[in-house]
Amino acid sequence: MAAAELATFAAEVAGCTKCRLAEGRTQVVFGVGDSDADLMFVGEAPGFHEDQQGKPFVGQAGKLLDRLLAGIGLERDQVYIANVLKCRPPGNRDPQPDEIEACEGHLFRQIALIEPKVVATLGNFATKLLSGKPTGITRVHGVEQETTLGGRRVLLYPLYHPAAALYTPAMLKVLEADFARLPELLGRLIALPEPVPTLAPLAPEPAVQLGLF
C-alpha cells in the first residue's frame, strides 16, 4: 500500500510549482528506495546529476553514500533516500528559507507514508529542519534524538553530509564511525513494540538559513 501511495504522491509532486526552483529544473527529484524502509536518509537538495537523472545522490557524494551503506551491509534499495528540496537550486547554491518552507510538506508526507524507524539527516539543512532546532551538525552529529515526524515517533540521527566528507579525511572518518552505529540503532528500535500513533504531526519550526556545516 505504501508503495502505491508513494508513487501517486510522486506523480503529484512531479508538477509542483510552489517555488521559483520549478522554473529552472530539468525534473523533480522525488526520492528512491524501499517504500517500507526502516531507515531513511534525508539530504539537502539535488545537484546537477540528480537534476538530470531524477534520482537523489547519483554524483560523487552518492557514490560515497553507497560505499558507506555497503560498509554496514546495506544497499540503496534497502533504504529510502530523499532531500529537503526536490528541485535543484541554481548553481547548487544553498536552499533559501522560502524554498524550504514551500517544499518541506513534500518531505513530511514522504516520511508519513514510508514510516521509517530511523531518519538519518545528512548535513545541516535536513538536521535543522527535522529536529526543529538551530544547533549545527558539528555539535549534534552521531547523537540520536527521539522526535515525532509524520505523526509517528522516530529516531533522528544526524550525520555529516557525504559531500562535506569527500575531500576531508578527518570528517570522513567521523562519518564512517557515525554510520557504523546505524545497525545497532535499527536493531534496538525494531525490537521495540510499535508505539500508539499520535493524532497529528508536530508542526515544524519555521525554516531558517543554514549552511553545510
Side-chain angles (χ1 to χ4, degrees):
M1 179 62 76
E5 287 187 86
L6 204 59
T8 299
F9 183 50
E12 294 173 11
V13 175
C16 180
T17 55
K18 286 186 175 182
C19 79
R20 68 180 80 87
L21 296 181
E23 300 166 9
R25 73 181 180 225
T26 301
Q27 57 192 313
V28 166
V29 181
F30 182 75
V32 294
D34 182 357
S35 59
D36 294 307
D38 288 320
L39 174 59
M40 180 175 179
F41 290 91
V42 179
E44 178 179 311
F48 173 81
H49 297 289
E50 289 77 13
D51 177 65
Q52 294 294 311
Q53 298 183 37
K55 297 178 181 180
F57 285 89
V58 293
Q60 289 302 312
K63 291 176 182 176
L64 176 55
L65 181 59
D66 289 343
R67 201 174 88 207
L68 291 163
L69 282 170
I72 58 171
L74 290 174
E75 295 182 5
R76 185 178 280 241
D77 61 4
Q78 293 176 287
V79 301
Y80 196 89
I81 305 171
N83 281 310
V84 171
L85 296 188
K86 308 305 182 196
C87 298
R88 180 195 180 200
N92 292 353
R93 64 157 170 74
D94 285 348
Q96 299 298 305
D98 61 321
E99 295 163 356
I100 295 172
E101 186 178 358
C103 207
E104 64 187 19
H106 298 330
L107 176 62
F108 282 101
R109 177 68 174 149
Q110 282 177 303
I111 294 170
L113 290 172
I114 295 163
E115 299 184 341
K117 290 181 168 61
V118 176
V119 175
T121 52
L122 300 169
N124 258 337
F125 288 90
T127 300
K128 292 184 179 181
L129 174 65
L130 296 185
S131 70
K133 300 172 184 176
T135 313
I137 190 67
T138 305
R139 288 180 56 191
V140 298
H141 73 85
V143 181
E144 68 272 22
Q145 49 189 284
E146 276 198 20
T147 189
T148 300
L149 298 171
R152 294 172 60 84
R153 186 185 67 178
V154 302
L155 201 64
L156 198 67
Y157 189 56
L159 298 166
Y160 281 122
H161 195 289
L166 274 175
Y167 308 108
T168 310
M171 192 176 290
L172 177 58
K173 288 185 181 301
V174 173
L175 182 56
E176 289 172 336
D178 289 345
F179 236 82
R181 290 196 59 225
L182 279 166
E184 180 260 323
L185 294 177
L186 284 165
R188 184 200 309 173
L189 286 171
I190 291 169
L192 292 175
E194 282 292 315
V196 178
T198 53
L199 293 177
L202 293 176
E205 290 189 7
V208 294
Q209 180 64 37
L210 321 167
L212 197 59
F213 305 102

